[in-house]
């Protein structure tokens, strides 16, 4: 009985170690995705790059370009993301800077908390909440709204 228990423990821990290395390989190095609302308010197109990837923590940096649909407002977003989890489901905390160009330049600091899903063949989806303090000579305040992203990792 002791031999069976010892063998079971060895198998369990060896499989556990194997699954950790597989989860490290699952997080792609690059992501391209579209975002609705989120840190660019209306919609944006983004590139994200993994800069640190360990078993349960991944750090990425992101650059995005967004537009408002009926005006000539553009948004430039630069953020860093701390992603916690393994395999397919992740929690994410992110912050950075968003420059809003509409004649005058406004600066915003997006703070995002999200649930992130990585599916088969690199498919990626994120749902979260964005809180954004805005600093401008005419508009100052804190805004908040949900965000949704979908794209592909490679």
């Amino acid at each position: 009985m002791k031999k069976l228990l010892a063998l079971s423990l060895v198998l369990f821990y060896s499989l556990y170690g194997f699954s950790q290395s597989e989860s490290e390989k699952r997080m792609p190095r690059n992501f391209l995705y579209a975002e609705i609302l989120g840190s660019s308010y209306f919609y944006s197109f983004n590139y994200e790059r993994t800069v640190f990837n360990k078993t349960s923590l991944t750090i990425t940096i992101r650059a995005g370009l967004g537009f408002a649909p009926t005006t000539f407002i553009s948004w430039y977003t630069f953020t860093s993301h701390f992603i916690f989890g393994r395999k397919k489901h992740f929690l994410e905390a992110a912050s950075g800077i968003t420059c809003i160009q509409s004649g005058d330049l406004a600066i915003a600091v997006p703070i995002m908390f999200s649930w992130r899903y990585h599916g088969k063949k690199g498919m990626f989806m994120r749902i979260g909440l964005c809180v954004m303090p805005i600093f401008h000579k005419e508009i100052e305040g804190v805004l908040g709204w949900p965000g949704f992203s979908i794209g592909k990792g490679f």
Side-chain angles (χ1 to χ4, degrees):
M1 185 66 169
K2 288 182 182 179
K3 288 182 182 181
L4 182 61
L5 179 61
L7 181 62
S8 298
L9 287 173
V10 168
L11 284 174
F12 173 75
Y13 283 109
S14 65
L15 289 175
Y16 181 72
F18 179 75
S19 69
Q20 286 179 340
S21 63
E22 284 298 314
S23 68
E24 285 185 44
K25 292 178 185 176
R26 277 187 186 268
M27 184 67 75
R29 302 261 316 151
N30 303 290
F31 297 91
L32 287 175
Y33 59 93
E35 182 176 52
I36 298 172
L37 297 173
S39 64
S40 290
Y41 191 60
F42 291 103
Y43 64 91
S44 65
F45 300 99
N46 303 278
Y47 170 75
E48 193 171 304
R49 173 81 175 171
T50 300
V51 294
F52 179 83
N53 187 13
K54 289 298 177 190
T55 303
S56 58
L57 172 65
T58 300
I59 299 173
T60 63
I61 54 174
R62 162 194 178 188
L65 176 62
F67 300 97
T70 58
T71 62
F72 295 104
I73 299 175
S74 55
W75 303 66
Y76 308 97
T77 302
F78 306 96
T79 56
S80 57
H81 302 249
F82 295 86
I83 304 164
F84 304 93
R86 296 181 186 172
K87 298 186 180 181
K88 294 183 179 186
H89 300 276
F90 301 89
L91 293 177
E92 176 181 52
S95 186
I97 189 166
T98 296
C99 302
I100 306 160
Q101 183 69 43
S102 63
D104 289 336
L105 181 67
I107 302 295
V109 181
I111 302 165
M112 299 165 286
F113 298 97
S114 309
W115 167 77
R116 187 171 175 141
Y117 176 78
H118 290 242
K120 295 180 181 178
K121 297 183 181 178
M123 191 280 293
F124 143 77
M125 178 180 72
R126 174 177 50 215
I127 298 171
L129 177 65
C130 180
V131 177
M132 188 179 302
I134 296 179
F135 305 98
H136 185 266
K137 63 183 179 185
E138 295 177 11
I139 304 168
E140 285 194 15
V142 178
L143 302 173
W145 52 80
F148 175 75
S149 304
I150 190 163
K152 184 159 178 72
F154 54 97

